[in-house]
Amino acid sequence: MSDDRHAAAISTLGTSGVARARIGSAASERASRAWWDADADDYHRTHGEFLGVESSAGEFVWCPEGLHEGDVHLLGDVAGKRILEVGCGSAPCARWLASQGADVVGLDLSMGMLARGVSAMDQAGGRIPLVQAGAEALPFADESFDLACSAFGAVPFVADSAQVMAEVARVLRPGGLWVFAVNHPIRWIFPDDPGPRGLTATLPYFDRTPYVEVDDEGVPTYVEHHRTIGDRVREAVGAGLEVRDIIEPEWPEWLDREWGQWSPLRGQLFPGTAIFVTRKPA
Ligand SMILES: C[S@@+](CC[C@H](N)C(=O)[O-])C[C@H]1O[C@@H](n2cnc3c(N)ncnc32)[C@H](O)[C@@H]1O
């Protein structure tokens, strides 16, 4: 179960246990919305500075390994492009893209997370549109974006990630890239622990039963859905996308920071993040 870095969310939602259980789209969305609303303050206290939430133009950090879009250019040239960020949270990535000349829309399920983005923009000046909606039903017209991206937003938390792939493929213009970062699927088999306990496999890689935290009544309060690498590729290809690369960022020598289950100890041994670079054929 989540630890005291999430004390406010655990206490607000009355989380009292873990139930590995099948859970559908609506219940997953309900749990995620409640969780991210309740955890927004703690999330930003712990990660806001690393993510550049308070910096005047935002930052685009793909993952706890610190990969920055300004260095890796996974989205290519973004100036003048219309871009959708899925699961934008407080939108540091979307704001950074806007600072590079893109026309960006950020989408997230949680008003608590989006509100942090609004207050960051109030401080810094400038506005990008933020939309509150779930990633399985994007409220946008077909072929309305040149590019789409997600840094751990939505994809690991939805029951039907194939539907997210289909929705992003629908709203992308032909030739558009969809680049999304998720927990590396290999992490599923280890306990969520940055220390030595997190080095011993305890769960089958092939067991897709979701990780669900519940309250005393059994109501889900936090959900994560697992897919294998093959599942992720099949879901993207099934949506008509080409998979161009799967990036597994290495833990950089300069980074001694822990982020939940991410740590130098584990990062030096096996990947924590997988970034899928996909493209809608022209
Ligand atoms: C780990 S945070 C990442 C946020 C942001 N990309 C960042 O780097 O800080 C995950 C985000 O996904 C959002 N999310 C979870 N499920 C979602 C869904 N079904 N649709 C849209 N957003 C969702 C959460 O509200 C949360 O803001």
Side-chain angles (χ1 to χ4, degrees):
M1 211 178 78
S2 304
D3 50 43
D4 54 5
R5 282 163 298 193
H6 307 289
I10 288 170
S11 127
T12 305
L13 303 177
T15 302
S16 59
V18 173
R20 305 271 323 290
R22 297 268 156 232
I23 172 167
S25 292
S28 294
E29 275 204 0
R30 264 197 304 278
S32 290
R33 187 181 302 116
W35 173 266
W36 292 102
D37 280 352
D39 194 54
D41 285 351
D42 277 342
Y43 183 83
H44 284 86
R45 196 171 305 116
T46 316
H47 305 302
E49 190 180 349
F50 183 75
L51 292 172
V53 175
E54 305 301 335
S55 95
S56 59
E59 298 290 348
F60 195 141
V61 180
W62 278 105
C63 51
E65 291 84 356
L67 209 70
H68 196 291
E69 176 60 12
D71 298 322
V72 291
H73 303 292
L74 300 181
L75 297 170
D77 183 7
V78 299
K81 300 279 170 59
R82 185 158 163 78
I83 306 181
L84 172 65
E85 185 186 1
V86 178
C88 65
S90 53
C93 304
R95 287 172 52 227
W96 183 84
L97 290 168
S99 78
Q100 305 299 303
D103 171 16
V104 194
V105 176
L107 172 138
D108 201 281
L109 193 57
S110 158
M111 190 52 85
M113 293 293 276
L114 292 170
R116 300 294 302 229
V118 171
S119 84
M121 289 189 281
D122 283 346
Q123 298 285 322
R127 273 291 161 119
I128 56 163
L130 300 177
V131 175
Q132 187 185 18
E136 288 167 83
L138 297 175
F140 305 111
D142 296 358
E143 302 188 3
S144 45
F145 292 95
D146 300 306
L147 297 167
C149 59
S150 182
F152 284 83
V155 180
F157 307 106
V158 297
D160 191 352
S161 45
Q163 173 66 15
V164 176
M165 300 298 128
E167 276 293 87
V168 175
R170 178 182 68 74
V171 303
L172 266 184
R173 297 191 179 121
L177 295 176
W178 160 226
V179 184
F180 61 98
V182 291
N183 317 39
H184 196 292
I186 197 64
R187 288 278 162 128
W188 184 251
I189 71 176
F190 300 102
D192 238 3
D193 189 320
R197 204 177 74 85
L199 301 179
T200 303
T202 53
L203 267 189
Y205 179 71
F206 302 105
D207 183 354
R208 279 88 160 173
T209 313
Y211 172 86
V212 185
E213 293 177 1
V214 292
D215 68 12
D216 282 343
E217 313 288 316
V219 175
T221 59
Y222 178 83
V223 181
E224 274 183 40
H225 292 269
H226 170 59
R227 297 288 185 277
T228 66
I229 282 274
D231 294 338
R232 293 259 180 248
V233 170
R234 274 185 295 279
E235 289 183 355
V237 170
L241 300 162
E242 300 162 350
V243 177
R244 302 185 121 197
D245 201 355
I246 303 171
I247 293 157
E248 298 163 299
E250 293 190 32
W251 194 270
E253 273 177 26
W254 57 266
L255 188 61
D256 59 2
R257 175 182 195 276
E258 290 188 358
W259 173 318
Q261 47 107 344
W262 278 265
S263 62
L265 173 74
R266 303 178 91 205
Q268 278 150 20
L269 294 172
F270 55 101
T273 297
I275 306 177
F276 291 78
V277 182
T278 75
R279 178 176 176 268
K280 180 170 175 170

